[in-house]
Amino acid sequence: MNRSALKTLLSHVQQGQLRVEDALEALSSWPYAQLDEARVDIHRCLRQGFAEVVLGEFKTAAQCLEVAQALVKAGQSVLITRLSSEKAGPLLEAFPAASYSERARLFWLQKGPLPEGGPVAVVCAGTSDLPVAEEAALTAEAMGAQVFRLCDVGVAGLHRLLAELPNLRKVHAVVAVAGMEGALPTVLGGLVEVPVVAVPTSIGYGVHQGGMATLHTMLSSCAANVSVVNIDNGFGAGFVAALIARPRPPPT
């Protein structure tokens, strides 16, 4: 961001020549932090309601740390997905107030108050799906959602799911995580009146083909309120569900 351009923009706001809302709109597409090997979008929160999220799986610990430091310097929260415990060590040393989930492979550091979020349910078919489900749940919580977790309620024992219907009907969005044949999202879609974000997992045998069979089942769902993210993409599902559940200000 150019200091002169920013000064001009703020002067226009101060003099009443520009509305605060219009200034925010102008700022939302401007700045990023130039690092050695990355350009960190430090104003993504203005455009999308949450800071830039870092995929840690293919980055070194040093690269993750450098990006995290840039976000914190800009007053942003930090969320790093697919981060191994080995890479998380240096980040936790640098940021003692941060948290890390080895199951979800998720690192997060909250800066400032959380946005107000509505209730979200994260439902998984079996305990083997828990790492993906927890990635979704923690992502949604990092974005301010109130998360209700429900585990091991796959369709092979449907009575386990039906017993939780009163709780499921209190939320604004549902994340349904399943492997094998992937029928859980369609069943949920027929029981609730809110969006269901389906997450196929890579859990299954033989013809399951690492989640492809589940993905195809979910994409073929006959429940109109079901949408599908990619295989094992708990982060994407949690992000979308939190946005769905987030209260919206009245239009101006």
Side-chain angles (χ1 to χ4, degrees):
M1 184 188 306
N2 182 302
R3 182 183 292 268
S4 174
L6 178 59
K7 184 176 180 180
T8 299
L9 183 73
L10 294 177
S11 295
H12 288 166
V13 174
Q14 185 181 43
Q15 295 163 14
Q17 299 173 4
L18 187 68
R19 296 190 314 156
V20 171
E21 291 79 9
D22 293 333
L24 284 173
E25 180 66 26
L27 286 168
S28 68
S29 61
W30 274 7
Y32 58 88
Q34 178 68 64
L35 308 181
D36 288 341
E37 297 178 317
R39 301 185 187 196
V40 183
D41 185 355
I42 58 173
H43 271 201
R44 188 169 299 184
C45 192
L46 284 175
R47 300 195 313 276
Q48 295 186 334
F50 196 72
E52 180 175 3
V53 178
V54 182
L55 175 61
E57 187 171 8
F58 305 103
K59 294 180 178 64
T60 65
Q63 287 171 326
C64 291
L65 179 59
E66 186 182 28
V67 173
Q69 288 170 333
L71 287 167
V72 170
K73 183 179 179 180
Q76 301 290 307
S77 296
V78 181
L79 183 63
I80 304 178
T81 66
R82 304 298 170 93
L83 190 72
S84 67
S85 56
E86 291 79 13
K87 293 180 187 177
L91 284 157
L92 291 169
E93 289 180 12
F95 303 107
S99 300
Y100 175 71
S101 168
E102 186 170 1
R103 168 180 277 173
R105 295 186 294 164
L106 206 70
F107 170 94
W108 69 101
L109 174 63
Q110 180 62 38
K111 299 295 288 183
L114 282 170
E116 182 183 356
V120 168
V122 176
V123 184
C124 73
T127 53
S128 296
D129 303 310
L130 269 172
V132 177
E134 190 62 9
E135 182 182 55
L138 290 173
T139 297
E141 286 179 337
M143 295 180 65
Q146 306 156 40
V147 177
F148 165 61
R149 291 167 170 81
L150 185 55
C151 174
D152 201 20
V153 290
V155 298
L158 193 56
H159 55 291
R160 301 172 297 179
L161 179 65
L162 297 177
E164 297 288 348
L165 270 183
N167 291 321
L168 289 170
R169 287 175 172 159
K170 296 176 183 177
V171 301
H172 295 169
V174 177
V175 174
V177 184
M180 306 297 277
E181 85 294 332
L184 180 63
T186 295
V187 172
L188 276 165
L191 295 172
V192 299
E193 61 176 3
V194 298
V196 175
V197 186
V199 190
T201 72
S202 52
I203 303 300
Y205 301 105
V207 73
H208 182 256
Q209 296 181 329
M212 289 300 297
T214 310
L215 174 64
H216 289 161
T217 297
M218 293 180 178
L219 287 171
S220 304
S221 175
C222 61
N225 55 342
V226 173
S227 293
V228 187
V229 298
N230 212 337
I231 298 168
D232 291 336
N233 188 10
F235 157 71
F239 195 102
V240 169
L243 287 178
I244 291 170
R246 183 175 290 178
R248 293 289 186 273
T252 56

